[in-house]
Amino acid sequence: MVKVVGLFVLYALLFYSANGKTHHHTFVVKSSSYTRLCTTKHILTVNGRFPGPTLRAQKGDRMIIKVYNKGEHNITLHWHGVKQPRNPWSDGPAYITQCPIQPGKKYTYRIHFTTEEGTMWWHAHLGWTRATVHGAIIIYPKRGSLYPFPHPHGEVLIILGEWWKKDVMEIERNATIAGGGPLISDAYMINGQPGDLYPCSKPGTFKVTVEHGKRYLLRIVNAVMNDKLFFAIAKHKMKLVGTDGCYTKPLETNYIMITPGQSMDVLLEANRHPSLYYMAASSYFTIVDTEFDNTITTAILQYNGLYHRSPSPLMPHLPAHNQTQAATRFTKKLRSLASKDHPARVPLKVDTKLFITLSINLVNCSSKPCEGPYGKRFSASLNNISFITPSIDVLRAYYYGLDGVFDKDFPSKPPNAFNYTGNNLPQNLLTPDFRTKVTVLKYNARVELILQGTNVFEGDNHPFHLHGYSFYVVGWGFGNFNPRRDPLRFNLIDPPEQTTVGVPRNGWVAIRFRADNPGVWMMHCHIEDHQEWGMKSVFVVKDGANPQTQILPPPHDLPEC
Ligand SMILES: *[C@@H]1O[C@H](CO)[C@@H](O)[C@H](O)[C@H]1NC(C)=O
Ligand SMILES: *[C@@H]1O[C@H](CO)[C@@H](O)[C@H](O)[C@H]1NC(C)=O
Ligand SMILES: *[C@@H]1O[C@H](CO)[C@@H](O)[C@H](O)[C@H]1NC(C)=O
Ligand SMILES: *[C@@H]1O[C@H](CO)[C@@H](O)[C@H](O)[C@H]1NC(C)=O
Ligand SMILES: *[C@@H]1O[C@H](CO)[C@@H](O)[C@H](O)[C@H]1NC(C)=O
Ligand SMILES: *[C@@H]1O[C@H](CO)[C@@H](O)[C@H](O)[C@H]1NC(C)=O
Ligand SMILES: [Cu+2]
């Protein structure tokens, strides 16, 4: 009898921990009125909120999210950094894994949190809708397990965003027609608020109150469209403990550099003189002679207590916008935790090697003069392929074997070798090839991917995001990747595990992952401009031999094109 009860308890525990809890949410996408920078405008929101609702769960839990599109734009939602094992149907990128949810229509996303732990986020994945349709995802350790760092007294969510006084959908439309760079933003924001340094913004400035002597976990998400940011807190050091939903070795730092798409968890000890301190963010921007949003967003960290007078908050030191040295001084120190409970499972052997160049291109205009440099249009490419978005999704075409939607021969290396990071590159490199090509990977392939930045037209730091996976950043450097010398320096012990990595301007990164998630997964630059110009591609990961390693069947409510 005792044995039976014991077995039952064991079974119940296993069942419970294997399945977790299922959370239900309803997301109503609709237009709402918001006033920022002295101007009122209508923006697309979820449930009328900006930033959108925060999703909270524990590792192993599931979520069912019913989305109703009551707005006037097509939309899809993506769960950024969540692997969605075997279920690309709920991943979200428009025309890659689903057709848009059209105005008046609905779709239910099914999310399964498996290995992720920490801060991630969700956002719309169709053009510029993500400028205002985004929010955080927080995954706590499983019941009965702890953080791999001292327990914080409280947590503070910091969502970095970007604001335009004009309508973002119209800005996108205009830029697409004219072929130039879109209007730069009027402000950056912390939790939807520009902060004290912008007009009409002071009363709304985000403020957090802390107790002296306590420890806080800051969960930072970069949800801006086009800019990498430096973020710092006056007089306070931060201790980085996680990136993109994976733990890191604790890293003490005065500032972080965070690219669009990345999230970072940092510990803050409230151990300074009780007062008011600014948290602030500004752009890390490396392209010369190009206009960018050179403003600073602030929020206030206030110690609880009574002060004789209300002091004005101190400003932190933020590196200058072009301080690549400061950016790399931070990123080069990132290491995964690689502990017994959170091991680094880096593929030590590789059977699939890919080498992909990242270029910004310029193409001739067919009719009227265009607004890009030299009267041309902007474009962007991977291995010289500028991705043409198909009119039905790649996943459906793959699953049902529909012909004519995509080709399977995305090149595994650049079609022509050249000095990728050279100066004054020949003009004929400017024009890419416009195609819808995917890379097919065998199930469980051990993949090494070199992402090589190029100086075609202009080099930039491109934050690359892979859907369906996390990957290990085993190496990086400036200049051209050297296949003989550079692999000797790869870190196969404790490389950072990420889902978005900034490829240094005129440099490269090497990532490794095991292709153990069958499906159709997008990879793209998370600078919105670049991805719209074509700096994106798709991996089709084939099914494994047994049903547990195969893609799930499509849901019955999948939107139609
Ligand atoms: C878009 O272009 C039109 C026509 O040139 C112009 O009137 C409008 O102000 C532009 N909108 C934005 C948001 O730039
Ligand atoms: C950064 O820009 C400033 C001017 O804004 C310039 O003086 C400085 O040389 C630049 N530094 C680097 C590292 O490019
Ligand atoms: C683009 O236009 C330039 C100038 O008219 C011309 O020299 C060049 O051959 C064109 N390139 C392509 C790819 O058509
Ligand atoms: C490539 O270009 C860079 C920058 O101009 C230069 O320093 C380097 O020597 C070139 N490499 C080769 C192999 O030509
Ligand atoms: C890219 O493709 C275009 C069109 O096929 C071709 O003209 C150009 O030479 C290619 N560029 C490179 C760098 O391979
Ligand atoms: C919305 O999506 C449908 C299906 O793909 C498409 O036919 C329609 O043109 C889209 N609407 C807009 C405004 O892009
Ligand atoms: Cu980019």
Side-chain angles (χ1 to χ4, degrees), residues 358-380:
L358 288 37
S359 300
I360 295 180
N361 304 91
L362 287 178
V363 296
N364 288 353
C365 271
S366 44
S367 53
K368 56 192 171 304
C370 277
E371 286 176 8
Y374 319 116
K376 297 179 182 238
R377 300 179 64 84
F378 273 118
S379 174

Side-chain angles (χ1 to χ4, degrees), residues 288 320-324:
V288 287
H321 73 271
N322 56 1
Q323 286 294 310
T324 290

Side-chain angles (χ1 to χ4, degrees), residues 166-175 177 183 371:
K166 295 196 170 161
D167 181 75
V168 289
M169 302 308 288
E170 199 179 311
I171 292 170
E172 179 193 16
R173 203 160 46 234
N174 279 7
I177 294 167
L183 225 57
E371 286 176 8

Side-chain angles (χ1 to χ4, degrees), residues 170-366:
E170 199 179 311
I171 292 170
E172 179 193 16
R173 203 160 46 234
N174 279 7
T176 307
I177 294 167
L183 225 57
I184 61 168
S185 53
D186 297 295
Y188 299 113
M189 291 180 293
I190 294 178
N191 294 340
Q193 293 291 346
D196 289 2
L197 307 185
Y198 298 89
C200 312
S201 301
K202 209 158 180 168
T205 300
F206 176 75
K207 189 182 267 189
V208 58
T209 306
V210 296
E211 302 278 342
H212 188 271
K214 297 274 166 74
R215 177 185 305 116
Y216 296 85
L217 178 57
L218 269 50
R219 299 178 173 279
I220 308 167
V221 173
N222 186 346
V224 311
M225 300 291 278
N226 295 317
D227 286 81
K228 300 156 281 266
L229 297 172
F230 288 115
F231 173 87
I233 307 171
K235 297 276 182 199
H236 289 75
K237 281 194 188 300
M238 296 178 275
K239 194 183 272 176
L240 183 88
V241 292
T243 53
D244 299 354
C246 308
Y247 292 118
T248 61
K249 288 201 169 68
L251 167 61
E252 200 170 77
T253 183
N254 291 320
Y255 62 89
I256 60 170
M257 191 285 280
I258 184 165
T259 75
Q262 288 183 327
S263 51
M264 293 188 179
D265 290 358
V266 306
L267 288 175
L268 173 82
E269 304 285 344
N271 57 7
R272 304 300 301 212
H273 178 68
S275 186
L276 274 64
Y277 300 90
Y278 274 130
M279 310 186 234
S282 62
S283 183
Y284 163 48
F285 191 86
T286 54
I287 302 184
V288 287
D289 298 330
T290 301
E291 217 189 356
F292 68 102
D293 182 346
N294 195 12
T295 61
I296 301 176
T297 178
T298 57
I300 296 171
L301 182 79
Q302 171 166 15
Y303 280 69
N304 202 7
L306 291 171
Y307 311 119
H308 295 304
R309 57 189 177 87
S310 195
S312 44
L314 281 168
M315 264 312 273
H317 171 74
L318 287 163
H321 73 271
N322 56 1
Q323 286 294 310
T324 290
Q325 278 192 353
T328 44
R329 212 178 301 133
F330 169 67
T331 48
K332 78 178 186 191
K333 286 188 277 194
L334 294 174
R335 298 286 182 278
S336 64
L337 186 55
S339 67
K340 190 166 138 284
D341 290 340
H342 303 279
R345 296 197 169 90
V346 193
L348 299 178
K349 290 218 174 85
V350 166
D351 45 47
T352 306
K353 284 194 178 185
L354 305 168
F355 185 93
I356 297 182
T357 53
L358 288 37
S359 300
I360 295 180
N361 304 91
L362 287 178
V363 296
N364 288 353
C365 271
S366 44

Side-chain angles (χ1 to χ4, degrees), residues 72-75 95 98-103 126 173 390-392 559-561:
E72 52 203 24
H73 297 284
N74 283 348
I75 200 137
Y95 303 109
Q98 69 166 98
C99 292
I101 311 170
Q102 297 182 37
L126 207 182
R173 203 160 46 234
S391 53
I392 72 159
E560 296 292 327
C561 276

